[in-house]
Amino acid sequence: YVIGAGLDWETAERLSGNVKFNANQQQSPFIIGGFAPVTVSNIEQSEDLNARVRLGVVTAMGFDASLGTRRVSFSEPEFASQEYKQDNATLGISYRTSGILSLGAGFRGERTRFDSAAPGQTEPDQSDRQDFYIAADWVPTGASTVTARLFFGKIEYKLATAADFEGVTGSLVWAWKPTGQLNLRTVLSRDSGLDSGYLRLDESATVSAT
């Protein structure tokens, strides 16, 4: 199942924002993090709660702040070390140069705490992520919107330091609505961390990527 709920709000001219909640239950991937294939029906559950506030609704300059939390758990006990709670925060600034182009920049922080110790560890691991990002929103035509984000940052683990990452990630999204009844969305993304990235099990193991 997937359940979602949201609230959008706005005041006269200056303040706006939203609150979103999503809950999801599904069969987890049969290969998690490059380990051996899963042979049991492992059910993954996740809940996300995010809140965003924007100052500057009709002005050229705008400020954004957001807070979010995510919880992920699995039905099978052997995957307890993959269960985690993740908190994140973003603070950014944007400037609308014209009616078709907006530019922005900001900082994003993220902390992940695992519930149980992984094999070979004496305590649950923890990771911290910091990013500086630049953004652009372009509306070339009334039917198209292009959104670009580039993140420059790093991910550091307290114990599993072989999974540390430092580099550039980002996304490019093209939303095209040729008619009132048709909406197409194309996404190109490069990311690292729990959902995608690199994991080295030991010095002789092959680095795997998703």
Side-chain angles (χ1 to χ4, degrees):
Y1 64 79
V2 176
I3 300 173
L7 171 68
D8 295 315
W9 59 270
E10 182 177 334
T11 65
E13 297 184 356
R14 297 293 180 182
L15 281 174
S16 66
N18 58 60
V19 179
K20 296 181 179 180
F21 173 77
N22 289 286
N24 181 44
Q25 177 173 297
Q26 64 183 8
Q27 172 69 52
S28 69
F30 286 97
I31 297 181
I32 300 178
F35 292 102
V38 179
T39 58
V40 296
S41 179
N42 185 37
I43 304 301
E44 175 184 340
Q45 290 182 316
S46 64
E47 295 86 30
D48 292 89
L49 178 63
N50 295 276
R52 179 188 179 191
V53 176
R54 176 177 172 82
L55 174 62
V57 179
V58 298
T59 57
M61 185 77 72
F63 298 90
D64 286 274
S66 67
L67 292 173
T69 185
R70 184 186 189 199
R71 177 74 178 169
V72 175
S73 59
F74 298 94
S75 62
E76 296 303 307
E78 55 263 44
F79 295 94
S81 63
Q82 301 291 316
E83 298 180 336
Y84 64 88
K85 181 182 179 182
Q86 186 179 86
D87 300 313
N88 63 80
T90 303
L91 184 63
I93 184 173
S94 62
Y95 181 72
R96 188 171 65 250
T97 61
S98 66
I100 64 171
L101 180 63
S102 295
L103 303 176
F107 294 92
R108 180 181 71 175
E110 184 179 275
R111 171 163 289 183
T112 302
R113 299 180 181 89
F114 293 89
D115 291 351
S116 304
Q121 297 178 351
T122 59
E123 60 179 306
D125 206 349
Q126 175 181 300
S127 70
D128 291 289
R129 177 173 183 168
Q130 301 90 32
D131 290 294
F132 168 75
Y133 71 86
I134 56 176
D137 297 316
W138 179 42
V139 186
T141 69
S144 290
T145 302
V146 179
T147 302
R149 299 286 186 271
L150 277 180
F151 294 87
F152 306 88
K154 60 182 179 180
I155 303 173
E156 294 179 317
Y157 286 82
K158 181 179 178 181
L159 301 176
T161 56
D164 288 356
F165 173 84
E166 184 172 0
V168 180
T169 58
S171 63
L172 180 65
V173 181
W174 174 39
W176 180 43
K177 192 171 183 178
T179 71
Q181 295 178 315
L182 181 62
N183 189 2
L184 302 176
R185 191 166 180 262
T186 303
V187 180
L188 297 175
S189 176
R190 179 179 190 263
D191 207 347
S192 182
L194 292 169
D195 295 324
S196 60
Y198 298 92
L199 177 66
R200 184 183 294 275
L201 301 181
D202 54 55
E203 290 300 322
S204 62
T206 302
V207 176
S208 62
T210 302

